[in-house]
Amino acid sequence: MIPKRVLHLAQLSVVGLAGYYIGLKDKIFENNENTVLLNGKTLKSMPALPIFGTVSAAVPYTDGGHVKDRVSQIMKYGFPGLDNVRSYDDFVLSYDRRNRVPNWVFEHITKEHIMKNDAVDRSKCDFTPDESIHPFFRSQNSDYKGSGFDRGHMAAAGNHRLAQKHVEQTFFLTNMAPQVGEGFNRHAWNRLEKHVRKLTKVYDNVYCCTGPLYLPRKESDGKMYIKYQVIGANTVAVPTHFYKVVVGEASDGSLDMEAYVMPNQKIPDETPVSSYMVPPETIEKAAGLLFFDKIHRSKLNRINGKKV
DNA sequence: TTTGATGT
């Protein structure tokens, strides 16, 4: 099953190259709509420039530097892409305006982030539209209602238990994508999220990038197509798959990487998460993103449990 | 336990 999926991903790279030039043109003519949400405050970035400077070096925002420090910490090993970046208190994401779901969501997780905390109550949280997104591109709760799909967290609520505010921010709809509930979000995908949390028992720091994929499939005419459902008045995309690329940083600074792709469908309970491991490169090609590109290869010990 | 939707 995995080799077939890898084949599909490999065939994507040709499409990806064609898309690159279009993307470049768009970048040049991009208007000044890029904004960054920092600690609930909306900032305007410089027009026609990548958002990177706004969230790393020259942040026109002061609160003692804590927000900037946290973003640098979460994004220590590089931004996968720079489209419509939003920085929340405990995670960072890039929003896909066309599909009304994230491109990627980045988290930095430690033991402390997932500890039991009586001050944090998930049941008090509400799914909330993010008004920093232009209304044309914003998803609403009504899009999901009656669709049959869950509002699935990309940054999991259970990874952000340091403060009530942190867990509440994971309920922004910018952090959601439509997921099959029974057998996927509530089961197999949840098991993968728990597996990532357990990595904090082994590693001091865990860096986790999560997002959707839209993978091509051969249709009945024998040709390859990317086909996905859209839901609601805002036509929110239902991804065909979801990925996680995870890096564990040991106390000596050495790094291990794991990468997973799971189909957005009911998955048998007995399926081990390890059976969804894929080479990280296949996700990068399919998503059009580069994960952890600031990591020195010499520091990377294992990928998917194998020495590199 | 954590992941959610739905009905009163």
Side-chain angles (χ1 to χ4, degrees), chain A residues 207-290:
Chain A
Y207 298 88
C208 181
C209 185
T210 307
L213 291 174
Y214 310 89
L215 297 186
R217 211 182 65 170
K218 192 180 277 187
E219 298 294 333
S220 53
D221 65 359
K223 300 175 184 175
M224 304 287 287
Y225 295 89
I226 294 176
K227 186 176 105 179
Y228 52 92
Q229 186 181 346
V230 295
I231 57 172
N234 295 302
T235 59
V236 178
V238 180
T240 64
H241 296 70
F242 291 93
Y243 68 83
K244 272 187 189 290
V245 184
V246 190
V247 164
E249 186 183 60
S251 49
D252 66 357
S254 70
L255 304 169
D256 294 326
M257 181 181 287
E258 295 177 4
Y260 300 89
V261 172
M262 294 179 60
N264 189 12
Q265 61 193 44
K266 193 175 190 324
I267 288 171
D269 262 344
E270 60 274 16
T271 316
V273 293
S274 60
S275 65
Y276 292 96
M277 278 181 166
V278 299
E281 293 82 6
T282 63
I283 307 177
E284 291 179 310
K285 290 176 185 176
L289 301 169
L290 295 171

Coordinates of all heavy atoms in Angstrom, one line a residue, chain A residues 207-290:
Chain A
Y207 N 9.3 19.1 17.9 CA 8.8 20.0 16.9 C 7.9 19.3 16.0 O 8.3 18.3 15.4 CB 10.0 20.7 16.2 CG 10.9 21.5 17.1 CD1 12.0 20.8 17.8 CD2 10.7 22.8 17.4 CE1 12.8 21.5 18.7 CE2 11.5 23.5 18.3 CZ 12.5 22.9 18.9 OH 13.3 23.6 19.8
C208 N 6.7 19.8 15.8 CA 5.7 19.0 15.0 C 5.1 19.9 14.0 O 4.5 21.0 14.3 CB 4.6 18.5 16.0 SG 3.4 17.5 15.2
C209 N 5.1 19.5 12.7 CA 4.5 20.3 11.7 C 3.4 19.4 11.1 O 3.6 18.2 10.7 CB 5.5 20.6 10.6 SG 4.7 21.7 9.3
T210 N 2.2 19.9 11.0 CA 1.0 19.2 10.7 C 0.2 19.9 9.5 O 0.2 21.2 9.6 CB 0.0 19.0 11.9 OG1 0.8 18.5 13.0 CG2 -1.2 18.1 11.5
G211 N -0.4 19.2 8.6 CA -1.1 19.9 7.6 C -1.9 18.9 6.7 O -1.7 17.7 6.8
P212 N -2.6 19.5 5.7 CA -3.4 18.7 4.8 C -2.6 18.4 3.5 O -1.7 19.1 3.2 CB -4.6 19.6 4.4 CG -3.9 21.0 4.5 CD -2.9 20.9 5.5
L213 N -3.0 17.3 2.8 CA -2.5 17.0 1.5 C -3.7 16.8 0.5 O -4.8 16.4 1.0 CB -1.6 15.8 1.5 CG -0.3 15.9 2.2 CD1 0.4 14.6 2.3 CD2 0.6 17.0 1.5
Y214 N -3.5 17.1 -0.7 CA -4.5 16.8 -1.8 C -3.7 15.9 -2.8 O -3.0 16.5 -3.6 CB -5.0 18.1 -2.4 CG -5.4 19.1 -1.3 CD1 -4.5 20.0 -0.7 CD2 -6.7 19.1 -0.8 CE1 -4.9 20.8 0.3 CE2 -7.1 19.9 0.2 CZ -6.2 20.8 0.8 OH -6.5 21.7 1.8
L215 N -3.9 14.6 -2.7 CA -3.1 13.7 -3.5 C -3.8 13.3 -4.7 O -5.1 13.0 -4.7 CB -2.7 12.5 -2.7 CG -1.8 12.8 -1.5 CD1 -1.3 11.6 -0.8 CD2 -0.6 13.7 -1.8
P216 N -3.1 13.1 -5.8 CA -3.7 12.7 -7.1 C -4.1 11.2 -7.0 O -3.5 10.4 -6.3 CB -2.7 13.0 -8.1 CG -1.4 12.9 -7.4 CD -1.7 13.4 -6.0
R217 N -5.1 10.9 -7.8 CA -5.6 9.5 -7.9 C -6.0 9.2 -9.3 O -6.5 10.1 -10.0 CB -6.8 9.4 -7.0 CG -7.0 8.1 -6.3 CD -8.3 8.0 -5.5 NE -9.5 8.2 -6.3 CZ -10.7 8.0 -5.8 NH1 -10.9 7.7 -4.5 NH2 -11.8 8.2 -6.6
K218 N -5.8 8.0 -9.7 CA -6.2 7.6 -11.0 C -7.7 7.4 -11.1 O -8.3 6.6 -10.3 CB -5.5 6.3 -11.5 CG -5.6 6.0 -12.9 CD -4.9 4.8 -13.4 CE -3.4 5.0 -13.6 NZ -2.7 3.8 -14.2
E219 N -8.4 8.1 -12.0 CA -9.8 8.0 -12.1 C -10.1 6.9 -13.2 O -9.2 6.3 -13.8 CB -10.4 9.3 -12.5 CG -10.3 10.4 -11.4 CD -11.0 10.1 -10.1 OE1 -12.0 9.4 -10.2 OE2 -10.5 10.6 -9.1
S220 N -11.4 6.7 -13.4 CA -11.9 5.6 -14.3 C -11.4 5.7 -15.7 O -11.4 4.7 -16.4 CB -13.4 5.4 -14.2 OG -14.0 6.6 -14.5
D221 N -11.1 6.9 -16.1 CA -10.6 7.1 -17.5 C -9.1 6.8 -17.6 O -8.5 7.0 -18.7 CB -10.9 8.5 -18.0 CG -10.1 9.6 -17.3 OD1 -9.4 9.3 -16.3 OD2 -10.3 10.8 -17.6
G222 N -8.5 6.4 -16.5 CA -7.1 6.0 -16.5 C -6.1 7.2 -16.3 O -4.9 7.0 -16.3
K223 N -6.7 8.4 -16.2 CA -5.8 9.6 -16.0 C -5.8 10.0 -14.5 O -6.7 9.7 -13.8 CB -6.4 10.8 -16.9 CG -6.4 10.5 -18.3 CD -7.0 11.6 -19.1 CE -7.1 11.3 -20.6 NZ -7.8 12.3 -21.4
M224 N -4.8 10.7 -14.2 CA -4.6 11.2 -12.8 C -5.3 12.5 -12.6 O -5.2 13.4 -13.4 CB -3.1 11.3 -12.5 CG -2.3 10.1 -12.7 SD -2.6 8.9 -11.5 CE -1.8 9.6 -10.1
Y225 N -6.0 12.6 -11.4 CA -6.7 13.8 -11.1 C -6.5 14.1 -9.6 O -6.4 13.1 -8.8 CB -8.2 13.8 -11.4 CG -8.5 13.7 -12.8 CD1 -8.6 12.4 -13.5 CD2 -8.8 14.8 -13.6 CE1 -9.0 12.3 -14.8 CE2 -9.1 14.7 -14.9 CZ -9.2 13.5 -15.5 OH -9.5 13.4 -16.9
I226 N -6.5 15.3 -9.2 CA -6.7 15.6 -7.8 C -8.2 16.0 -7.6 O -8.6 17.0 -8.1 CB -5.8 16.8 -7.3 CG1 -4.3 16.3 -7.4 CG2 -6.1 17.2 -5.9 CD1 -3.3 17.4 -7.1
K227 N -8.9 15.2 -6.8 CA -10.3 15.5 -6.6 C -10.6 15.5 -5.1 O -10.1 14.7 -4.3 CB -11.1 14.3 -7.2 CG -12.6 14.5 -7.2 CD -13.3 13.4 -7.9 CE -13.9 12.4 -6.9 NZ -14.7 11.3 -7.6
Y228 N -11.2 16.6 -4.6 CA -11.6 16.6 -3.2 C -12.9 17.4 -3.0 O -13.2 18.3 -3.8 CB -10.5 17.3 -2.4 CG -10.0 18.6 -2.8 CD1 -10.6 19.8 -2.3 CD2 -8.9 18.7 -3.7 CE1 -10.1 21.0 -2.7 CE2 -8.5 20.0 -4.1 CZ -9.0 21.1 -3.6 OH -8.6 22.3 -4.0
Q229 N -13.6 16.9 -2.0 CA -14.9 17.6 -1.7 C -14.7 19.0 -1.1 O -13.6 19.2 -0.5 CB -15.6 16.7 -0.7 CG -17.1 17.1 -0.4 CD -17.7 16.2 0.7 OE1 -17.2 15.1 1.0 NE2 -18.8 16.6 1.2
V230 N -15.7 19.8 -1.3 CA -15.7 21.1 -0.6 C -17.0 21.2 0.2 O -18.0 20.7 -0.3 CB -15.5 22.3 -1.5 CG1 -14.1 22.3 -2.1 CG2 -16.6 22.4 -2.6
I231 N -17.0 21.9 1.3 CA -18.2 22.0 2.2 C -18.5 23.4 2.5 O -17.7 24.3 2.6 CB -18.0 21.1 3.5 CG1 -16.8 21.6 4.3 CG2 -17.9 19.7 3.2 CD1 -16.7 21.0 5.7
G232 N -19.8 23.6 2.7 CA -20.3 24.9 3.2 C -20.4 26.0 2.1 O -19.9 25.9 1.0
A233 N -20.9 27.1 2.5 CA -21.1 28.3 1.6 C -19.7 28.8 1.2 O -19.5 29.4 0.2 CB -21.9 29.4 2.3
N234 N -18.7 28.6 2.1 CA -17.3 29.1 1.8 C -16.5 28.0 1.1 O -15.3 28.2 1.0 CB -16.7 29.6 3.1 CG -17.4 30.8 3.6 OD1 -17.5 31.8 3.0 ND2 -17.8 30.7 4.9
T235 N -17.1 26.9 0.7 CA -16.4 25.8 0.0 C -15.0 25.5 0.6 O -14.0 25.6 0.0 CB -16.2 26.2 -1.5 OG1 -15.4 27.4 -1.6 CG2 -17.5 26.3 -2.2
V236 N -15.1 25.1 1.9 CA -13.9 24.7 2.6 C -13.5 23.3 2.1 O -14.3 22.4 2.0 CB -14.2 24.5 4.1 CG1 -13.0 24.1 4.9 CG2 -14.7 25.9 4.7
A237 N -12.2 23.2 1.7 CA -11.7 22.0 1.1 C -11.6 20.8 2.1 O -11.2 21.0 3.3 CB -10.3 22.2 0.5
V238 N -12.0 19.6 1.7 CA -11.8 18.4 2.5 C -10.5 17.7 2.0 O -10.6 17.1 0.9 CB -13.0 17.5 2.4 CG1 -12.8 16.2 3.2 CG2 -14.3 18.2 2.7
P239 N -9.4 17.8 2.7 CA -8.2 17.2 2.3 C -8.3 15.7 2.1 O -9.1 15.0 2.8 CB -7.2 17.5 3.4 CG -7.8 18.7 4.1 CD -9.3 18.5 4.0
T240 N -7.6 15.2 1.1 CA -7.6 13.7 0.9 C -6.8 13.0 2.0 O -7.0 11.9 2.3 CB -7.1 13.3 -0.5 OG1 -5.7 13.7 -0.6 CG2 -7.9 14.0 -1.5
H241 N -5.7 13.7 2.5 CA -4.8 13.1 3.4 C -4.3 14.2 4.4 O -4.5 15.4 4.2 CB -3.6 12.5 2.7 CG -3.8 11.4 1.8 ND1 -4.5 11.5 0.6 CD2 -3.5 10.1 1.9 CE1 -4.6 10.3 0.1 NE2 -4.0 9.4 0.8
F242 N -3.7 13.8 5.5 CA -3.0 14.7 6.4 C -1.6 14.2 6.7 O -1.4 12.9 6.7 CB -3.8 14.8 7.7 CG -5.1 15.5 7.5 CD1 -6.3 14.8 7.3 CD2 -5.2 16.9 7.6 CE1 -7.5 15.5 7.1 CE2 -6.4 17.6 7.4 CZ -7.5 16.9 7.2
Y243 N -0.7 15.1 6.9 CA 0.7 14.7 7.3 C 1.1 15.2 8.6 O 0.5 16.2 9.1 CB 1.6 15.2 6.2 CG 1.8 16.7 6.2 CD1 2.6 17.4 7.1 CD2 1.0 17.5 5.3 CE1 2.8 18.8 7.1 CE2 1.2 18.9 5.3 CZ 2.0 19.5 6.2 OH 2.1 20.9 6.2
K244 N 2.1 14.6 9.2 CA 2.8 15.1 10.3 C 4.3 14.9 10.1 O 4.7 13.7 9.7 CB 2.4 14.4 11.6 CG 1.2 15.1 12.3 CD 1.0 14.5 13.7 CE -0.3 15.0 14.3 NZ -0.3 16.4 14.7
V245 N 5.1 15.9 10.2 CA 6.5 15.7 10.2 C 7.0 16.2 11.6 O 6.8 17.3 12.0 CB 7.2 16.6 9.1 CG1 8.7 16.3 9.1 CG2 6.6 16.2 7.8
V246 N 7.7 15.3 12.3 CA 8.0 15.5 13.7 C 9.5 15.4 13.9 O 10.2 14.5 13.3 CB 7.3 14.5 14.6 CG1 7.5 14.8 16.1 CG2 5.9 14.3 14.2
V247 N 10.1 16.3 14.7 CA 11.5 16.2 15.0 C 11.7 16.2 16.5 O 11.1 17.0 17.2 CB 12.4 17.4 14.4 CG1 13.7 17.5 15.1 CG2 12.6 17.1 12.9
G248 N 12.4 15.2 17.0 CA 12.7 15.2 18.5 C 14.2 15.6 18.7 O 15.1 15.1 18.0
E249 N 14.3 16.5 19.6 CA 15.7 17.0 20.0 C 16.1 16.5 21.3 O 15.4 16.8 22.4 CB 15.6 18.6 20.0 CG 16.9 19.3 20.2 CD 16.7 20.8 20.3 OE1 16.0 21.2 21.2 OE2 17.2 21.5 19.4
A250 N 17.1 15.7 21.3 CA 17.6 15.1 22.6 C 18.4 16.1 23.4 O 18.7 17.2 22.9 CB 18.4 13.8 22.3
S251 N 18.7 15.7 24.6 CA 19.4 16.7 25.5 C 20.8 17.0 25.0 O 21.3 18.1 25.3 CB 19.5 16.1 26.9 OG 20.0 14.8 26.9
D252 N 21.4 16.1 24.2 CA 22.7 16.4 23.6 C 22.6 17.2 22.3 O 23.6 17.4 21.6 CB 23.5 15.1 23.5 CG 22.9 14.2 22.4 OD1 21.8 14.5 21.9 OD2 23.5 13.1 22.1
G253 N 21.4 17.5 21.9 CA 21.2 18.3 20.7 C 21.0 17.5 19.5 O 20.8 18.0 18.4
S254 N 21.2 16.2 19.6 CA 21.0 15.3 18.4 C 19.5 15.2 18.1 O 18.6 15.4 18.9 CB 21.5 13.9 18.7 OG 20.7 13.2 19.6
L255 N 19.2 14.9 16.8 CA 17.8 15.0 16.3 C 17.4 13.7 15.6 O 18.2 13.1 14.9 CB 17.7 16.2 15.3 CG 18.2 17.6 15.8 CD1 18.3 18.6 14.7 CD2 17.2 18.1 16.9
D256 N 16.1 13.4 15.8 CA 15.5 12.3 15.1 C 14.2 12.8 14.4 O 13.5 13.7 15.0 CB 15.1 11.2 16.0 CG 16.3 10.5 16.7 OD1 17.4 10.4 16.0 OD2 16.2 10.1 17.8
M257 N 13.9 12.3 13.2 CA 12.8 12.8 12.5 C 11.8 11.6 12.2 O 12.3 10.5 12.0 CB 13.2 13.4 11.2 CG 12.0 14.0 10.3 SD 12.6 14.7 8.8 CE 13.3 16.2 9.3
E258 N 10.5 11.9 12.3 CA 9.5 10.9 11.9 C 8.5 11.7 10.9 O 8.2 12.8 11.2 CB 8.7 10.3 13.1 CG 9.6 9.5 14.0 CD 8.8 9.0 15.2 OE1 7.6 9.2 15.3 OE2 9.5 8.4 16.1
A259 N 8.0 11.0 9.9 CA 7.1 11.6 9.0 C 5.9 10.6 8.7 O 6.2 9.4 8.5 CB 7.8 12.0 7.7
Y260 N 4.7 11.1 8.7 CA 3.5 10.3 8.5 C 2.5 10.9 7.5 O 2.4 12.1 7.5 CB 2.8 10.2 9.9 CG 3.6 9.5 11.0 CD1 4.4 10.3 11.8 CD2 3.6 8.2 11.2 CE1 5.1 9.7 12.9 CE2 4.3 7.6 12.2 CZ 5.1 8.4 13.0 OH 5.8 7.8 14.0
V261 N 1.9 10.1 6.8 CA 0.7 10.5 6.0 C -0.4 9.5 6.2 O -0.2 8.3 6.1 CB 1.1 10.5 4.5 CG1 -0.2 10.7 3.6 CG2 2.1 11.6 4.1
M262 N -1.6 10.1 6.6 CA -2.7 9.2 6.8 C -3.9 9.7 5.9 O -4.1 10.9 5.7 CB -3.2 9.3 8.2 CG -2.2 8.6 9.2 SD -2.6 8.7 10.9 CE -4.1 7.7 10.8
P263 N -4.6 8.8 5.3 CA -5.8 9.1 4.5 C -6.9 9.6 5.4 O -7.1 9.1 6.5 CB -6.1 7.8 3.7 CG -5.7 6.8 4.7 CD -4.4 7.3 5.3
N264 N -7.7 10.6 4.9 CA -8.8 11.2 5.6 C -10.0 10.3 5.5 O -11.0 10.6 4.8 CB -9.1 12.6 5.1 CG -10.1 13.3 5.9 OD1 -10.4 12.9 7.0 ND2 -10.6 14.5 5.4
Q265 N -9.9 9.1 6.1 CA -11.0 8.2 6.0 C -10.9 7.2 7.2 O -9.9 7.2 7.9 CB -10.9 7.3 4.7 CG -9.6 6.6 4.6 CD -9.3 6.0 3.2 OE1 -9.5 6.7 2.2 NE2 -8.8 4.8 3.1
K266 N -12.0 6.5 7.4 CA -12.1 5.5 8.5 C -10.9 4.5 8.4 O -10.7 3.9 7.3 CB -13.4 4.8 8.5 CG -13.7 4.0 9.7 CD -15.1 3.4 9.5 CE -15.7 2.8 10.8 NZ -14.8 2.1 11.7
I267 N -10.1 4.4 9.5 CA -9.0 3.5 9.5 C -9.2 2.5 10.5 O -9.6 2.8 11.7 CB -7.7 4.3 9.8 CG1 -7.3 5.2 8.5 CG2 -6.5 3.4 10.1 CD1 -6.2 6.2 8.8
P268 N -8.9 1.2 10.2 CA -9.2 0.1 11.2 C -8.4 0.4 12.5 O -7.2 0.8 12.5 CB -8.6 -1.1 10.5 CG -8.7 -0.8 9.0 CD -8.5 0.7 8.9
D269 N -9.0 0.1 13.6 CA -8.5 0.4 14.9 C -7.1 -0.3 15.2 O -6.3 0.2 15.9 CB -9.4 -0.1 16.0 CG -10.3 1.1 16.6 OD1 -9.9 2.2 16.3 OD2 -11.3 0.8 17.2
E270 N -6.9 -1.5 14.6 CA -5.7 -2.2 14.9 C -4.5 -1.8 14.1 O -3.4 -2.2 14.3 CB -6.0 -3.7 14.6 CG -6.4 -4.1 13.2 CD -7.9 -4.0 12.9 OE1 -8.6 -3.3 13.8 OE2 -8.3 -4.5 11.9
T271 N -4.7 -0.8 13.2 CA -3.6 -0.3 12.3 C -2.6 0.4 13.2 O -2.9 1.5 13.8 CB -4.1 0.6 11.2 OG1 -5.2 0.0 10.6 CG2 -3.0 0.7 10.1
P272 N -1.3 0.0 13.2 CA -0.3 0.8 14.0 C 0.1 2.1 13.3 O 0.1 2.1 12.0 CB 0.9 -0.2 14.1 CG 0.7 -1.1 12.9 CD -0.7 -1.2 12.6
V273 N 0.4 3.1 14.1 CA 0.7 4.4 13.4 C 2.0 4.2 12.5 O 2.1 4.9 11.5 CB 0.9 5.5 14.5 CG1 -0.3 5.9 15.2 CG2 2.0 5.2 15.4
S274 N 2.9 3.3 12.9 CA 4.1 3.2 12.2 C 3.9 2.7 10.7 O 4.7 3.0 9.8 CB 5.0 2.1 12.8 OG 4.4 0.9 12.9
S275 N 2.7 2.2 10.4 CA 2.4 1.7 9.1 C 2.1 2.9 8.2 O 2.0 2.8 7.0 CB 1.3 0.7 9.0 OG 0.1 1.3 9.4
Y276 N 2.0 4.1 8.7 CA 1.7 5.3 8.0 C 3.0 6.2 7.8 O 2.9 7.3 7.4 CB 0.6 6.1 8.5 CG -0.7 5.4 8.4 CD1 -1.2 4.6 9.4 CD2 -1.4 5.4 7.1 CE1 -2.4 3.8 9.2 CE2 -2.5 4.6 6.9 CZ -3.0 3.9 8.0 OH -4.1 3.1 7.8
M277 N 4.1 5.6 8.2 CA 5.4 6.4 8.0 C 5.7 6.4 6.5 O 5.6 5.5 5.8 CB 6.5 5.7 8.7 CG 6.6 6.0 10.2 SD 8.0 5.1 11.0 CE 8.1 6.0 12.5
V278 N 6.2 7.6 6.1 CA 6.7 7.8 4.7 C 8.0 8.6 4.7 O 8.2 9.3 5.7 CB 5.6 8.5 3.9 CG1 4.3 7.8 3.8 CG2 5.4 9.9 4.4
P279 N 8.8 8.6 3.7 CA 9.9 9.5 3.6 C 9.5 10.9 3.6 O 8.5 11.3 2.9 CB 10.6 9.1 2.3 CG 10.0 7.8 1.9 CD 8.7 7.7 2.5
P280 N 10.1 11.8 4.4 CA 9.7 13.2 4.5 C 9.7 13.9 3.2 O 8.9 14.8 2.9 CB 10.7 13.8 5.5 CG 11.7 12.8 5.8 CD 11.2 11.4 5.4
E281 N 10.6 13.5 2.3 CA 10.7 14.1 1.0 C 9.4 14.0 0.2 O 9.0 14.9 -0.6 CB 11.8 13.5 0.1 CG 13.2 13.8 0.7 CD 13.6 12.8 1.8 OE1 12.8 11.9 2.1 OE2 14.7 13.1 2.4
T282 N 8.7 12.9 0.3 CA 7.5 12.7 -0.4 C 6.4 13.7 0.0 O 5.6 14.1 -0.8 CB 6.9 11.2 -0.3 OG1 6.6 11.0 1.1 CG2 8.0 10.2 -0.7
I283 N 6.4 14.0 1.3 CA 5.4 15.0 1.8 C 5.8 16.4 1.3 O 5.0 17.1 0.9 CB 5.4 15.0 3.4 CG1 5.1 13.6 3.9 CG2 4.3 16.0 3.9 CD1 5.1 13.5 5.4
E284 N 7.1 16.6 1.3 CA 7.6 18.0 0.8 C 7.2 18.2 -0.6 O 6.7 19.3 -1.0 CB 9.1 18.1 1.0 CG 9.5 18.1 2.5 CD 11.0 18.2 2.6 OE1 11.7 17.4 2.0 OE2 11.5 19.1 3.4
K285 N 7.3 17.2 -1.4 CA 7.0 17.3 -2.9 C 5.5 17.5 -3.0 O 5.0 18.3 -3.9 CB 7.5 16.1 -3.6 CG 9.0 16.1 -3.8 CD 9.5 14.8 -4.5 CE 11.0 14.7 -4.4 NZ 11.5 13.5 -5.0
A286 N 4.7 16.7 -2.3 CA 3.2 16.8 -2.4 C 2.7 18.1 -1.9 O 1.7 18.6 -2.4 CB 2.6 15.6 -1.7
A287 N 3.3 18.6 -0.8 CA 2.7 19.8 -0.1 C 3.3 21.1 -0.7 O 2.8 22.2 -0.5 CB 3.0 19.7 1.4
G288 N 4.5 21.0 -1.4 CA 5.1 22.2 -1.9 C 5.8 23.0 -0.8 O 5.9 24.2 -0.8
L289 N 6.3 22.2 0.2 CA 6.9 22.9 1.4 C 8.2 22.2 1.7 O 8.4 21.0 1.4 CB 5.9 22.7 2.6 CG 4.5 23.3 2.5 CD1 3.6 22.9 3.6 CD2 4.6 24.8 2.4
L290 N 9.1 22.9 2.4 CA 10.3 22.3 2.9 C 10.3 22.3 4.4 O 10.2 23.4 5.1 CB 11.5 23.1 2.4 CG 11.7 23.0 0.9 CD1 12.8 24.0 0.5 CD2 12.1 21.6 0.4

